[in-house]
Amino acid sequence: MIICTNKMEYPLRSQCQRVQKQVMVNSEKERMSLLFMKALVSRGSVDAVSQQMASHPQYLESFLRTQHYILHMDGPLPLPYRHYIAIMAAARHHCNYLVYLHSAQFLRVGGDPLWLQGLEAAPSRLRLLDHINKVLAHQPWLTACSHIQTLLKSGEQCWSLAELVQAVVILAHCHALCSFVFGCDTDSNCVPLSKSPNGTPPTFCPFDAANGNTNVPQSLATPSEHITRRRSLDSSRDVVCLKERIQKSQEEREKREERLVQTQTLHQTDMEEEEETICFTDPSCFITDPEFCYEEFAHREEDHFQVFRVQDYSWEDHGFSLVNRLYSDIGHLLDDRLRSVTTLPSFHNPDMKRAIWNYIHCVLGIRYDDYDYGEVNQLLERDLKLYIKAVACYPDATKTPVCPLSWAVLKTSERIHVNLLIMEARLQAELLYALRAITQYMIA
Amino acid sequence: MEKMSRVTTALGSNAISGRTMFCHLDAPANAISVCRDAMQVVVAGRNIFKIYALEEEQFVEKLNLRVGRKPSLNFSCADVMWHQMEESLLATAATNGAVVTWNLGKPSRNKQDQLFTEHKRTVNKVCFHPTEVYMLLSGSQDGFMKCFDLRKKESVSTFSGQSESVRDVQFSMKDYFTFAASFENGNVQLWDIRRPDRYERMFTAHTGPVFCCDWHPDDRGWLATGGRDKMVKVWDMTTNRAKEIYCVQTIASVARVKWRPERKFHLATCSMMVDHNIYVWDIRRPFIPFATFEEHKDVTTGIVWRHQHDPHFLLSGSKDSTLYQHMFKDATRPVDKANPEGLCFGLFGDLAFAAKESLISSDANRKPYPGGDRRYPIFFFKKPDPTEQFAHVSSALSVFETDLDSNRMDWFVKTAQLYLLSGKPFAELCDHNAKVARELKRPQVSTTWTMLRIMFSDPANLTAPGPNPILSKLGTLPLMNSFSMKEIGSGIGTESRLERSKGESRQDNIHLESGNLHLTNNNEENEETEGSEGQAEYMFGDAELDDDDLYSMEHDNQTEEQEYILPQEAFQLRHEIMDNPSAPEHLQQDKADSPHVSGNEAEVTCLTPIESFSLISISQPLFSPHLPASFFCPIVREMLSYYAEQGDVQMAVSVLIVLGDRIRKEIDDLTQEHWYMSYIDLLQRFELWNVSNEVIKLSTCSAITCLNQASTTLHINCSNCKRPMSNKGWICDRCHQCASVCAVCHHVVKGLFVWCQGCSHGGHLEHIMNWLKSSTHCPAGCGHLCEYT
């Protein structure tokens, strides 16, 4: 029996051994090791995200299962499309790491390399997704029935409902993942488990199995100066404060860009040896309207955008049924993911988890009738709130500086926990908005 | 107490009346509840809280309970219940976690009576005790149920379900102290109101949330539950373990379930998402709703039977901001539209057919099945009121046995294996396939192939002796006497074919009709439509040998020139398409090219004098030599459809593939896809995997070619520990070793990997090949005698 395994040209043994050494140290981490091994063999590398999540194995398991399902398993969209959509989503937040990861996977599943030159080169069907991508990423409350209608409008380039749902799930998943990547990158205590041997900053390496590296991204930014400010009372001033920081970081960013160009050339020479070459493209070529970004929901005109009431459209009652109907089994996987993040044992105060969750939903325009938002201010310190908001709303390494947060109070796993909560809350929020729009479309 | 309530609520002389009607609400409704006297209904939602009077012809707004400039969230209701004992008493569950009671007897505009803010999360459900005036039960998202005594300021007892959010609570209609609670994690619990410390009983009713439950109004032990898993289940609670006695599968998550009064087996359901209809089910007939109300434009959120002893009035509220009264007589009966016929093949080719008895018995010629009583009539209960029962349907089931031998599909398997679909010039393929068919004694098919070759090949090669015997033969056939011989060349063959196929299909129609008439004894005919071999030879039967002999003589000199004029271009192009199915440009180009090709053929046709017809055309005038290959396309298309309809989809697909571009654009994609799917399905049933894969590869429908891109999983054993690799990829779960190492050079294999299925060892293709040339044992030294084929 002859099996063509062209696509599996990984120098597996060395990687495998390395991972084994790394994670087998502790017998408690047996489960982790197995998960990693699985991830390693299926994707050629244990990505940094999984390594970060390793402190919560139970969650990681369901996260990986979901991710594997939406990107690799049965579904209405062709595999290259899925990765391209992921690229588009990650590009919205300038998340180089995810863009490279999915570019490599895109090529590996037989995607047309031309598409990687930018959105212009992609089929118009994918270009149509750009708008909903933009909206979902930054101001999900703008998602409207009309967007869905445009996409589903019959014609040569139309989407089917099932395809659209999968696309939306991928978009939401990747947007949320950008938050996690961003949140963890800022973590200076994060020690990479392995370093790439060639000395290139790992973030710039495409996470390509052919490299033979298990790379861990380091923050693009060197930790910026710690800015201490007066406590502001309302959240809008938080944003002002954030925006000032963004400006302050502009200079740094320019410096970084210079460096980026250098590493880029470095990188390209590296890549010439590789079989799979990935054109190093700026993520911004996968998006349009780069100026579009998060705006304070509270500042929008009250009656113009109605607050999203969870009691009227909830994941458990409505979202689940719809998404599961149009994209079978995904509902259960996402349900499992949401459940496992809420049952993670961590915080001293169980209310804290709910406060974080509801706060994130609140900044994205989703309200709970049965929650007293005063609790948020009581339970969450201002620094933490600022951090949550930055990670949830501006997870953009090229724009936002590393957010100062006195992490001293929290253990590593708890920091990751906060990031996981942010990711899941964001995921759910985007899904709720998108699915509600789809429901409205179906009723109309 | 109970008796009293019975007396007061029983339908008296003033029976309620009305018609199907609706009214617009200002806002979406979340729940509705009806007053005991069945004359008023309360509608509650986030932005609405009103009481409507039910009058003969219309709803009349009686009272707006939502007062105040900016009503608080206490007015935002998730649920509402009107007390069934006390007409002025209502309770609502607020989305902010408050439980509110309302007293309509209050003189002030604000009728709010009591406010309990003990729940931390949204209250999903409130329920008054059916006979106790002051007892109110609530179930909340926070996982607690609370029992309130309305004479006190706070709850008297709290029940902790310990299993996530409470979705519904219902007091038992018969047992004073019992209530049921359903939970988001799929559990249902039974509680004794006197024992708040622990539930009496718990069982898992659904996967996923149980959105609702309802006690049977008459039968003490029956509890109906509905869940997100789209099921309604009826549980018998009288036994030690709750026993599922009925289960109805709906098409969407079940939001509400309500037993229908006075009808023991009926219940109404509505859905949380997507499906806007209200269904009334007879739980004994779970596959089709007994009645359907289709008025709402958005999901129905609340349903309630207007009077607890009147089964004819159903009230419903919806997110589309309407309130409806449905009359049962106006309901849609899905069963009327159902197709009561069923047809199924058995394992050994037996055919079972069930149909309405009226359909079959009306047939006077129906004979009893010879092999004993093979009818299994199913009669359904008779009932006095036809509108209250399922339509009287009795079906007769007939089973047709097949003679195993007559049903042999050997020919199919052999044909599938022997046919050549690609890789040779067109004419050779046709000849080969014709030969295969002839050897399998399928002369009709064989002749078809031969004709195809003639039609689409270069006419120059149809040298003299070729068609003549056919024509002369045809000429001698009585059926052909009326046939005009003015046609030219190969055209005549096709015309006659067409004629014939028409005749044959007519014949078959008769067969089928007679089949209907004599359902019990026409197995033979039925089977023959499958194979088409039985009746194949009535026209060409005796001619076949001769003409094929004649053709085979010219094979050799024919091929080369054919290759020149009709190059394999079509096939090469097709291969390109297959390799890169995502590039539609190729396809387009391909399609655009093909007319050109046929155009060339046409020119060639014109240039070539056809001497061959001199023999029969003695009395004929000179015929026009203009006959492009495309001329035959409609005929061929008809022929293909004919074969497909006959059940010989194999022929249709094979011809489709062999003809390729010559015919492909003539047949619409959907039909092609359908044929391909049927043929592939058949091939796979016969486990002809290789053939089916070849067909998939050769097909040009994108929907087909992607078939062999799916389920490409391969199960392998670890070469180290010989256990199956449950993992994706090449690392073994158990021994943590890489399984893709070459047994010869001990390097990781990139590219082609070959391994032995016996011992799981393998390696680089060329290494293993070389190794096994010199040794028969496994290179890994495991002692296994590997075989390389």
Side-chain angles (χ1 to χ4, degrees), chain A residues 42-106:
Chain A
S42 63
R43 270 166 292 150
S45 67
V46 174
D47 54 17
V49 168
S50 310
Q51 295 185 19
Q52 293 279 3
M53 289 177 195
S55 48
H56 299 288
Q58 174 203 356
Y59 174 80
L60 175 62
E61 207 165 347
S62 80
F63 171 83
L64 287 178
R65 205 181 303 128
T66 319
Q67 183 170 263
H68 182 72
Y69 183 77
I70 59 176
L71 290 175
H72 306 284
M73 298 294 280
D74 287 349
L77 286 176
L79 294 181
Y81 267 55
R82 303 183 194 183
H83 291 293
Y84 199 81
I85 292 167
I87 294 170
M88 287 167 67
R92 216 46 251 186
H93 291 307
H94 300 99
C95 182
N96 287 320
Y97 164 64
L98 286 176
V99 170
Y100 293 136
L101 184 73
H102 287 289
S103 298
Q105 293 187 4
F106 172 78

Side-chain angles (χ1 to χ4, degrees), chain A residues 1 3 5 8 37-38 41-42 68 309 311-312 316-317 320 325 335 339 354 369-370 439 443, chain B residues 46 95-96 120-122 164 167 184 211 228 251 297-298 727-728 730-731 751 753-755:
Chain A
M1 190 168 195
I3 298 303
T5 55
M8 303 197 66
M37 207 91 67
K38 280 184 186 172
V41 294
S42 63
H68 182 72
R309 299 274 178 189
Q311 269 71 18
D312 290 345
E316 288 79 12
D317 292 3
F320 173 92
R325 183 187 201 91
D335 221 23
R339 202 171 290 259
R354 198 171 163 220
D369 281 349
D370 54 357
T439 309
I443 289 167
Chain B
R46 171 174 297 282
T95 51
N96 64 357
K120 287 200 185 67
R121 304 284 304 270
T122 299
E164 296 191 33
R167 298 309 301 241
E184 198 147 294
F211 286 139
R228 195 173 69 180
I251 58 168
K297 307 274 189 300
D298 197 345
N727 250 329
K728 239 187 121 264
W730 296 88
I731 298 287
F753 184 47
V754 60
W755 75 91

Side-chain angles (χ1 to χ4, degrees), chain A residues 58-236:
Chain A
Q58 174 203 356
Y59 174 80
L60 175 62
E61 207 165 347
S62 80
F63 171 83
L64 287 178
R65 205 181 303 128
T66 319
Q67 183 170 263
H68 182 72
Y69 183 77
I70 59 176
L71 290 175
H72 306 284
M73 298 294 280
D74 287 349
L77 286 176
L79 294 181
Y81 267 55
R82 303 183 194 183
H83 291 293
Y84 199 81
I85 292 167
I87 294 170
M88 287 167 67
R92 216 46 251 186
H93 291 307
H94 300 99
C95 182
N96 287 320
Y97 164 64
L98 286 176
V99 170
Y100 293 136
L101 184 73
H102 287 289
S103 298
Q105 293 187 4
F106 172 78
L107 292 176
R108 204 170 299 142
V109 297
D112 185 347
L114 266 182
W115 296 8
L116 292 184
Q117 286 176 4
L119 199 58
E120 295 309 308
S124 57
R125 226 149 79 90
L126 285 170
R127 285 204 303 272
L128 278 176
L129 267 192
D130 182 59
H131 186 71
I132 200 167
N133 178 24
K134 179 177 89 178
V135 168
L136 277 180
H138 303 295
Q139 299 178 28
W141 55 87
L142 291 177
T143 318
C145 181
S146 57
H147 299 147
I148 306 296
Q149 216 158 7
T150 324
L151 287 167
L152 298 177
K153 195 167 56 195
S154 59
E156 292 231 341
Q157 305 300 333
C158 80
W159 287 76
S160 76
L161 213 46
E163 287 171 330
L164 180 64
V165 166
Q166 192 183 12
V168 161
V169 171
I170 295 174
L171 285 176
H173 168 81
C174 286
H175 291 152
L177 197 53
C178 286
S179 284
F180 182 81
V181 169
F182 176 74
C184 290
D185 275 357
T186 60
D187 180 6
S188 52
N189 288 345
C190 157
V191 184
L193 293 175
S194 69
K195 277 202 167 181
S196 60
N198 54 18
T200 319
T203 326
F204 297 116
C205 282
F207 279 68
D208 170 10
N211 263 347
N213 303 324
T214 46
N215 290 317
V216 176
Q218 288 170 325
S219 169
L220 268 180
T222 49
S224 68
E225 75 250 61
H226 195 98
I227 308 163
T228 43
R229 278 181 172 269
R230 280 181 302 120
R231 277 185 79 115
S232 66
L233 293 171
D234 63 320
S235 58
S236 59

Side-chain angles (χ1 to χ4, degrees), chain A residues 245-270:
Chain A
R245 290 185 195 188
I246 291 169
Q247 276 178 354
K248 281 216 168 187
S249 72
Q250 289 296 319
E251 295 165 31
E252 249 187 87
R253 181 189 167 196
E254 277 156 25
K255 277 185 217 158
R256 278 202 309 271
E257 271 169 359
E258 279 169 34
R259 263 186 288 149
L260 188 116
V261 175
Q262 287 166 2
T263 39
Q264 199 174 324
T265 46
L266 227 172
H267 172 80
Q268 274 169 342
T269 48
D270 267 359

Side-chain angles (χ1 to χ4, degrees), chain A residues 1-6 8-14 16-17 20 24 30 33-34 37-38 40-43 68 72-74 110 275 306 309-322 324-325 331-332 335 339 351 354 368-371 435 439 442-444, chain B residues 30 46 73 76 95-97 120-123 141 164 167 184-185 207 209 211 228 230 251-253 272-276 297-299 319 582 710-711 714 727-738 740-741 746 748-755 757 765 788-789:
Chain A
M1 190 168 195
I2 298 167
I3 298 303
C4 177
T5 55
N6 273 335
M8 303 197 66
E9 306 170 357
Y10 317 143
L12 283 173
R13 172 158 270 186
S14 58
C16 163
Q17 282 168 349
Q20 254 177 297
M24 293 285 281
E30 186 80 27
S33 127
L34 201 64
M37 207 91 67
K38 280 184 186 172
L40 177 60
V41 294
S42 63
R43 270 166 292 150
H68 182 72
H72 306 284
M73 298 294 280
D74 287 349
E275 287 154 308
Q306 282 234 314
R309 299 274 178 189
V310 166
Q311 269 71 18
D312 290 345
Y313 199 99
S314 69
W315 167 255
E316 288 79 12
D317 292 3
H318 307 93
F320 173 92
S321 298
L322 183 67
N324 217 35
R325 183 187 201 91
H332 293 288
D335 221 23
R339 202 171 290 259
D351 291 336
R354 198 171 163 220
Y368 291 76
D369 281 349
D370 54 357
Y371 190 70
L435 292 171
T439 309
M442 289 169 79
I443 289 167
Chain B
N30 277 346
R46 171 174 297 282
L73 277 175
S76 166
T95 51
N96 64 357
K120 287 200 185 67
R121 304 284 304 270
T122 299
V123 179
Q141 198 75 15
E164 296 191 33
R167 298 309 301 241
E184 198 147 294
N185 62 359
T207 52
F211 286 139
R228 195 173 69 180
K230 307 180 189 174
I251 58 168
S253 58
M272 190 81 89
M273 267 308 275
V274 190
D275 185 16
H276 309 160
K297 307 274 189 300
D298 197 345
V299 284
K319 287 240 181 207
S582 58
S711 353
L714 196 78
N727 250 329
K728 239 187 121 264
W730 296 88
I731 298 287
C732 176
D733 260 353
R734 291 181 186 77
C735 55
H736 303 300
Q737 289 293 319
C738 180
S740 62
V741 177
H746 299 284
V748 171
V749 183
K750 299 180 173 189
L752 288 178
F753 184 47
V754 60
W755 75 91
Q757 284 180 302
L765 177 59
Y788 181 80
T789 48

